[in-house]
Amino acid sequence: MTLSSPVRTAQIKMSSFIFLYFFTWSSSFGLYALWLSQKVGLDSITIGSVFAINGAFAVILKPVYGYIMDKIGMSKWLLYFVCAISALMAPFFVTIYQPLLLTHTTLGIVVGAFWLSLGWYAGVAAAESYADRFSRLYGLEFGRIRMWGSLGWALAASVSGVLFNITPLANFLVSSGTSVLMLLVLMSLKIGDDQLRNNNVIADNRIVFTDVIALLKNQKFWMFSLYVAGVAWMMFVAEQQFPRYFVSFFDTKQQGNAWYGYLGTLQAGIEFVMMMFIPAVVNHFGAKKGLLLCGLVVGIRLIASGLTSDPLMISIIKPLYGVEIALLLISVFKYIAEHFHKKVNATMYLLGYQAMIYVGSVVVAPPAGYLYAKIGFEQTYLMMGSCALLFTLISAFTLSPCKSARGATDTFSPELKPSPVEPVKH
């Protein structure tokens, strides 16, 4: 498909914004668990609590961001706010967050969770939701825009480990600097009038609170949330302290830090490539089967991580996370677009998917941290991988059938109530 000049310009700017956002995030957050452990000196259980409190604040703020996104449509002021918070990350980490964690740990955890949720935990969800709407307004594949985020993460990861070994301050300064560029790109992005007229993406009647209540009463919402709880929780919670497990395979922490950065680059590169091709796979087989395939990969990767004791094997396993991310994101957005009303699209994504993920941080991260300390990473990963496979099997029967390019839907799962959340009459 040949794109007109205005469409191509808008696509480049949107892709550049996503690239810079993930570059910013990766520069500091990619080694967050190592920073908490090696620089701040927190133990496994306390780090698990940090992620749990972070998750609690994310659970609160993500639905708020989603509701705002559905309320304001394609307005960018929420993203401007996210850019501003991100630009202040360097002074926040250095002058507020680390000192509080060292002297008043509980207060530091709470303050950090709030700030990180505003800028990154909830911010990334808002950015991805906006990119999804943008892509559908312009008739583009979301993956072709989101893939640039993977590239941004990869490029930042390629140097973040080296910078971290010098001083974490360098990572934070890079994040703040690129946040300013991100803000400038976003300010220059203009959505065309043709795209905003008579579209099937932005509802004419904007969301109200009764629409959220209707969403929460929808059985499809809870069946989708069950999948997130069983598969995505295991996937993301396992990744939180995976850097510490990975580093243990090497002779020195510095060597492990550097290799983790290199493999983070490879992982993001795989994610970048997969974002180009996964949309065609999901379109062909349907969003539901895309979600099930993701669950299968998650379970196998975690079990394999628990079984290996070889640094080469763990280095081969690590980049598979990029395949999982591409499969999950593409399938989630397509599943939501197919089964839920456009009026609650962003709310569904940030509440039913993003917020539910961080409920997992609250529920699973502390016991996971305890198990890491008591029985080791290996046994814990075996348990988490088995859980992911079990819930993938359950979801084969509980997720709603999805359309596919083959002209058929899944026949092995019951059809739930066929209508997505209906618009409330005002």
Side-chain angles (χ1 to χ4, degrees):
M1 179 178 65
T2 302
L3 301 179
S4 64
S5 180
V7 174
R8 173 63 68 183
T9 299
Q11 182 185 16
I12 290 173
K13 290 181 178 180
M14 188 73 248
S15 299
S16 299
F17 169 75
I18 293 296
F19 170 85
L20 289 168
Y21 188 96
F22 279 84
F23 187 96
T24 294
W25 193 16
S26 174
S27 297
S28 294
F29 203 71
L31 297 171
Y32 180 54
L34 293 180
W35 179 77
L36 290 171
S37 174
Q38 297 179 17
K39 302 301 179 181
V40 183
L42 303 183
D43 58 29
S44 296
I45 296 175
T46 306
I47 291 174
S49 298
V50 169
F51 282 109
I53 301 301
N54 287 356
F57 275 85
V59 167
I60 295 170
L61 286 174
K62 282 173 182 281
V64 174
Y65 273 23
Y67 186 86
I68 293 173
M69 292 286 289
D70 280 324
K71 181 68 78 172
I72 65 178
M74 295 305 292
S75 174
K76 297 178 292 182
W77 70 261
L78 179 59
L79 295 185
Y80 290 149
F81 174 75
V82 169
C83 289
I85 294 294
S86 183
L88 294 171
M89 283 295 175
F92 172 75
F93 266 83
V94 175
T95 64
I96 298 175
Y97 195 25
Q98 185 171 0
L100 281 178
L101 287 174
L102 290 172
T103 58
H104 301 82
T105 304
T106 301
L107 178 61
I109 291 174
V110 171
V111 171
F114 178 66
W115 194 267
L116 290 173
S117 294
L118 287 176
W120 287 342
Y121 281 113
V124 67
E128 288 180 333
S129 180
Y130 192 91
D132 171 64
R133 283 183 172 178
F134 173 91
S135 64
R136 288 186 287 125
L137 279 175
Y138 281 88
L140 304 169
E141 281 286 356
F142 166 74
R144 295 300 178 95
I145 293 175
R146 176 56 176 76
M147 60 188 270
W148 296 103
S150 305
L151 181 61
W153 188 280
L155 291 179
S158 66
V159 297
S160 61
V162 177
L163 292 176
F164 185 86
N165 283 335
I166 298 172
T167 171
L169 176 60
N171 298 76
F172 303 143
L173 290 174
V174 168
S175 290
S176 290
T178 51
S179 295
V180 176
L181 294 177
M182 179 171 67
L183 176 61
L184 295 175
V185 170
L186 184 63
M187 292 174 64
S188 70
L189 174 65
K190 307 296 180 185
I191 306 299
D193 292 336
D194 291 341
Q195 282 71 33
L196 293 175
R197 284 195 297 265
N198 301 319
N199 68 78
N200 194 36
V201 177
I202 307 298
D204 293 332
N205 295 323
R206 298 295 169 82
I207 189 174
V208 294
F209 189 69
T210 49
D211 294 317
V212 180
I213 300 301
L215 177 64
L216 293 174
K217 292 180 178 179
N218 190 333
Q219 188 179 3
K220 289 185 179 183
F221 172 87
W222 294 107
M223 293 302 99
F224 178 79
S225 298
L226 180 67
Y227 170 87
V228 174
V231 175
W233 283 10
M234 299 303 108
M235 173 181 170
F236 289 108
V237 171
E239 193 68 12
Q240 287 174 351
Q241 296 201 46
F242 189 84
R244 299 181 61 234
Y245 178 54
F246 181 87
V247 168
S248 70
F249 282 77
F250 294 83
D251 294 332
T252 66
K253 291 181 178 179
Q254 290 73 21
Q255 185 183 20
N257 292 346
W259 272 104
Y260 189 82
Y262 301 146
L263 288 170
T265 302
L266 177 60
Q267 170 189 302
I270 291 174
E271 184 181 320
F272 175 81
V273 174
M274 289 296 101
M275 284 289 181
M276 286 190 284
F277 298 105
I278 291 296
V281 175
V282 175
N283 288 338
H284 183 75
F285 291 103
K288 175 179 176 178
K289 288 185 177 177
L291 292 171
L292 298 180
L293 178 59
C294 177
L296 183 63
V297 176
V298 170
I300 292 174
R301 181 178 68 89
L302 291 179
I303 291 174
S305 297
L307 291 175
T308 187
S309 58
D310 180 32
L312 175 60
M313 185 57 64
I314 199 70
S315 298
I316 294 173
I317 293 170
K318 164 73 175 114
L320 289 177
Y321 185 73
V323 178
E324 297 167 14
I325 287 289
L327 268 171
L328 186 62
L329 271 179
I330 299 300
S331 300
V332 162
F333 274 116
K334 289 183 180 295
Y335 187 92
I336 290 174
E338 184 171 344
H339 288 288
F340 298 91
H341 194 273
K342 62 184 178 181
K343 179 183 288 189
V344 296
N345 185 268
T347 300
M348 176 59 202
Y349 176 64
L350 276 90
L351 176 60
Y353 172 66
Q354 287 284 347
M356 278 300 298
I357 283 176
Y358 286 99
V359 170
S361 288
V362 177
V363 175
V364 179
Y370 175 82
L371 289 174
Y372 293 149
K374 296 301 180 181
I375 66 174
F377 281 92
E378 297 89 342
Q379 295 299 319
T380 306
Y381 283 153
L382 289 175
M383 295 169 57
M384 296 173 79
S386 299
C387 181
L389 291 179
L390 173 62
F391 275 83
T392 299
L393 177 61
I394 293 172
S395 296
F397 299 95
T398 56
L399 288 175
S400 298
C402 290
K403 298 175 184 176
S404 69
R406 298 178 300 164
T409 57
D410 301 292
T411 58
F412 53 89
S413 64
E415 175 63 76
L416 304 176
K417 290 187 177 182
S419 60
V421 175
E422 296 297 335
V424 176
K425 304 299 182 183
H426 306 299

